[in-house]
Structure formats: C-alpha cells, structure tokens
Amino acid sequence: MLESRKIVLRQSALFLVGELLGVAVMFGVYALLQKLNAPVVLGGALGCIIAVLNFFFMALYASIAADKAINQDVAGGQRVMRISQLVRYVLMFGALIVIGVSKKCDLIATVIPLLLFRPIVSVIAFFGKSGESG
C-alpha cells in the first residue's frame, strides 16, 4: 500500500512537470502575441493548480480503488472511482465558474492547462511503459 502511494506521488510530480512545461509554452505564445499580462499569468497558474490537483486525486482514488479490487471488492473500487470522478468534476466546474465570475483571470489561459490533461497523461504512460521494459 505504501508503494502505491509513492507511485501516486511520482506520477503527480511527473504530471506537474508536464503542466509547467505546457503553461510555459502557453505563456510564450501569449508573449509572442503581446497579450501576456497579469490575468493571463494568474489564469494559467490557477488552471495548472486545478489540473494538478485533479490528477493527484484521480491517481490517489485509483490507487484506493485498486487496493479494494485486490481485496476482492471490485464493486467498491468502481464506486470509489465513480464518486471520485463526479466530485472532481463538480469541484473543477465550480472553480471555473468562480474564476470566470471574478473576471480577475483570463478564462482561456485558465482552461488551457486543463486541456493538457490527456496529452500529458499519454506522454507519462508512453514513457512509463518504455521505462518498465528496460
């Protein structure tokens, strides 16, 4: 069980690095367009934080669900994942509404880090698999 928590932290750290790289590229594009300003930076930072927290809790609850499945409680593991997904999505949606209503952030710069979720996870999975075979 402790090993699975280490994996969650390691994967979350890799995801954070991917998000930081993606947000840095996004800031570079905004700078090239001469649109980089405080609301863009704040939006990008908040989007990055939301995405990383979403990944961390997804990985944590996937680990908990896997532990349940190992202990022959597959239905309990599936329930944990469904509830986790619902709660994470509701919280992300709520955070985006609050951020949008505040008008202190560039909403596009806030959403872009969230859109990087799948590509980053795919890259982590790709390199994780190649690293395991060696």
Side-chain angles (χ1 to χ4, degrees), residues 4 10 12-14 16 19 25 29-30 40-41 52 63 69-71 86 89 91 98-99 111 117 126-127 129 131:
S4 64
R10 188 173 335 123
S12 296
L14 290 172
L16 172 62
E19 277 292 334
V25 169
V29 170
Y30 269 92
V40 168
V41 172
V52 170
S63 173
I70 289 170
N71 293 323
L86 177 65
Y89 285 177
L91 290 174
V98 169
I99 290 168
V111 172
F117 187 89
F126 176 78
F127 285 108
K129 287 179 183 172

Side-chain angles (χ1 to χ4, degrees), residues 26-40:
M26 178 187 74
F27 288 163
V29 170
Y30 269 92
L32 286 173
L33 298 172
Q34 298 181 346
K35 301 285 186 184
L36 186 63
N37 55 29
V40 168

